[in-house]
Amino acid sequence: EAGESSAFSAIFIARDGSYLGWIGLRDGIRPEAAPALRELRGLRVRRLAMFTGDRAAVAARVAAAVECPEHRAECLPEGKVAFVNEVRQAGYRVAVVGDGVNDAPALAAGDTGIAMGAAGSDVAIHSATIALMNHDLRRVPFLIRLSHAARAVVLQNIGVGLLFILGGLFLSG
């Protein structure tokens, strides 16, 4: 039974001290998760990892289902922060995506923290750099594309401004 129940959060049922059985609960995997991760790979995100407080069997099942190449399970908040720091020390810029109280320290530890679902945990929202309004993971690749476009506009504006300054200096001399 332990092997069978390992992919579930199990609630064991007893009556008058006698074991009757168990009920397995498991969170559904968001249908947009795998496409969002594929899209992130297409945006040249170099390392994708999932860290969770869930048990190892649950984390492995979810990581496989969403095609996440790396995962860590049974992480307490300080373990999540340690993982973020480990990845940063390896030379990566780290964006952390999370939605709960247990994610708040990791959201603050990353270079960019993205809180999902602004109606979620206030602690996560206040720890994050960016708060998205819903839990749709496809918003993360959209956010990256939007930030790249905004950066391009800023650089264009700087370039045009420099041209005007240089043109003004040239014409005034």
Side-chain angles (χ1 to χ4, degrees):
E1 277 180 64
E4 184 180 344
S5 67
S6 65
F8 293 91
S9 295
I11 298 174
F12 296 95
I13 313 234
R15 181 187 300 152
D16 299 325
S18 296
Y19 173 76
L20 296 177
W22 61 275
I23 297 173
L25 305 173
R26 76 175 174 193
D27 292 332
I29 297 172
R30 296 181 187 162
E32 76 276 5
L37 290 179
R38 282 192 293 274
E39 204 170 336
L40 287 170
R41 281 189 288 277
L43 290 169
R44 295 189 304 266
V45 171
R46 295 185 320 182
R47 185 172 177 184
L48 292 168
M50 178 185 80
F51 51 86
T52 178
D54 287 333
R55 290 179 299 135
V58 174
R61 177 183 63 82
V62 172
V66 300
E67 303 168 26
C68 185
E70 182 179 355
H71 69 280
R72 298 237 177 131
E74 300 176 20
C75 295
L76 296 173
E78 57 270 16
K80 293 178 180 185
V81 170
F83 180 67
V84 169
N85 289 333
E86 175 187 318
V87 173
R88 288 182 79 190
Q89 288 173 355
Y92 292 93
R93 286 182 301 182
V94 179
V96 178
V97 179
D99 65 355
V101 172
N102 291 334
D103 298 326
L107 288 166
D111 294 300
T112 303
I114 304 169
M116 298 295 294
S121 164
D122 285 343
V123 175
I125 292 165
H126 292 296
S127 299
T129 312
I130 300 163
L132 298 177
M133 296 304 291
N134 62 36
H135 284 88
D136 187 344
L137 292 168
R138 291 171 297 193
R139 295 292 182 199
V140 176
F142 170 78
L143 176 66
I144 292 171
R145 285 192 307 275
L146 182 63
S147 68
H148 289 168
R151 183 174 183 210
V153 168
V154 167
L155 291 175
Q156 288 170 2
N157 286 340
I158 290 171
V160 169
L162 285 173
L163 284 175
F164 272 106
I165 291 169
L166 292 174
L169 287 173
F170 178 75
L171 293 174
S172 69

